[in-house]
Amino acid sequence: MTVAAVSVTTATPPLQLAGVPEVFEHTTDRAEFCLPAPGVELYRAHIVRHAFEPHTHQAFGLGAIEAGVERFRYGGGEHLAPPGSIVLMNPDELHTGRAETAHGWRYRMLYLDPAVLARVSGEDGWWFDEAVRHDVAAAQRVSQLLAALWQAHEPLAFDSLLFRLLAEFRRHARVPQPAPAEAAHRFAPVLDYLRANLAEKLTLPQLAAVAGLSPFHFLRRFQAQYHVTPQQMLMALRLFEAKQLLATGVAPAQVAAATGLADQAHLTRAFVRRYGVTPARYQKQVRA
């Protein structure tokens, strides 16, 4: 099985991207993406002042905190991730992120499509019941493997490193995933409807009708299930789709129109708040 079906490259450091202005409040804030293979996204960052708004990756988010402490909201609760922690996020879970310490936090992440994870691990239905595990030795190994993935130029080396990295997380995974709750079944068509209508101006009665509930009963149930409002979910899905389009080379102005955002400026503001980089910078990084 080969995951790295495309040539593996590393992203150009953000400071070398001519014509892309800095967007963070603090001069040390940095965020960098790389798409080395289909369904695989690498991310590394040092964040001091930036606060990430609710967003989703529709992928497993697996990584390590190298320095500082992150505070984030995930699964309806607040979590702290100190140095020496590994981070374990399930797909489609909205989350935030901000620094808990004065000097911010430095971390590396892998965002992995569930289908790729299943092919590499040979197992379906991975899920994690804890978002943070404090394990200094494991965090160091994870960080080293993630750093090596950035530098892996040969497909065989990349696949081998990815296999070793997932082995580090397997001990924390629960297989198979438990059956979704009744509420998740009820709202699955709503999420599908949102994804199919990202460019539309949707109303609460429209979404409530999809779920078969009255508008404000739907709103209360949706908030209880996902810990965000339908509008916050819609924006998270819009920005995730924007990432996908940017990665394929679609111009930012076209991305804004396709995802229901007012204009390119609106896209830029929303993208930075959730991912820490401008759309133009992200596109240059992942297509380098």
Side-chain angles (χ1 to χ4, degrees):
M1 183 282 303
T2 299
V3 175
V6 297
S7 59
V8 181
T9 61
T10 54
T12 304
L15 290 178
Q16 298 176 13
L17 295 176
V20 180
E22 294 296 327
V23 297
F24 287 119
E25 296 179 56
H26 199 279
T27 56
T28 61
D29 281 1
R30 295 288 185 272
E32 189 175 359
F33 289 89
C34 177
L35 295 178
V40 182
E41 183 173 72
L42 299 174
Y43 176 75
R44 57 191 179 191
H46 176 205
I47 306 297
V48 178
R49 292 185 179 174
H50 189 75
F52 294 93
E53 292 194 1
H55 60 282
T56 182
H57 299 279
Q58 295 184 12
F60 286 96
L62 308 172
I65 308 297
E66 298 180 328
V69 180
E70 178 192 13
R71 175 182 289 275
F72 62 99
R73 190 168 71 253
Y74 170 91
E78 290 283 327
H79 303 270
L80 291 177
S85 296
I86 57 174
V87 179
L88 310 145
M89 292 186 177
N90 296 312
D92 295 317
E93 288 281 357
L94 270 71
H95 55 279
T96 62
R98 63 178 175 84
E100 182 71 6
T101 49
H103 298 291
W105 85 102
R106 189 177 72 248
Y107 63 119
R108 292 178 181 269
M109 295 292 294
L110 164 72
Y111 297 107
L112 192 63
D113 187 275
V116 176
L117 187 149
R119 290 202 303 271
V120 177
S121 67
E123 297 176 310
D124 288 312
W126 276 35
W127 66 285
F128 299 97
D129 57 4
E130 292 186 73
V132 179
R133 289 284 185 94
H134 187 67
D135 186 331
V136 175
Q140 290 176 342
R141 292 192 299 270
V142 166
S143 185
Q144 290 167 358
L145 287 166
L146 285 170
L149 279 172
W150 278 83
Q151 304 301 323
H153 298 288
E154 296 185 7
L156 180 59
F158 184 89
D159 289 349
S160 299
L161 287 165
L162 184 59
F163 180 82
R164 290 173 55 196
L165 180 62
L166 290 185
E168 291 290 338
F169 291 103
R170 176 60 183 89
R171 72 196 68 181
H172 305 294
R174 303 289 182 262
V175 180
Q177 183 173 354
E182 181 275 333
H185 279 299
R186 178 180 289 275
F187 291 122
V190 177
L191 297 185
D192 290 340
Y193 187 84
L194 290 173
R195 293 187 183 101
N197 295 278
L198 295 177
E200 304 301 321
K201 292 184 178 180
L202 302 177
T203 67
L204 185 60
Q206 277 179 280
L207 300 181
V210 174
L213 299 171
S214 63
F216 286 101
H217 183 50
F218 162 78
L219 183 57
R220 292 190 297 270
R221 292 280 299 277
F222 190 96
Q223 174 78 37
Q225 175 66 22
Y226 296 109
H227 315 291
V228 292
T229 66
Q231 175 62 22
Q232 288 175 308
M233 177 67 79
L234 175 61
M235 286 300 295
L237 295 176
R238 281 173 168 170
L239 271 295
F240 179 81
E241 177 65 14
K243 279 181 64 182
Q244 308 305 104
L245 294 174
L246 289 165
T248 65
V250 179
Q254 293 175 285
V255 171
T259 54
L261 301 176
D263 50 31
Q264 188 172 341
H266 186 196
L267 170 66
T268 297
R269 291 192 302 272
F271 202 91
V272 168
R273 287 198 295 266
R274 286 161 180 83
Y275 300 118
V277 295
T278 65
R281 183 182 291 270
Y282 174 79
Q283 190 169 63
K284 288 187 177 183
Q285 288 175 354
V286 301
R287 295 179 60 80

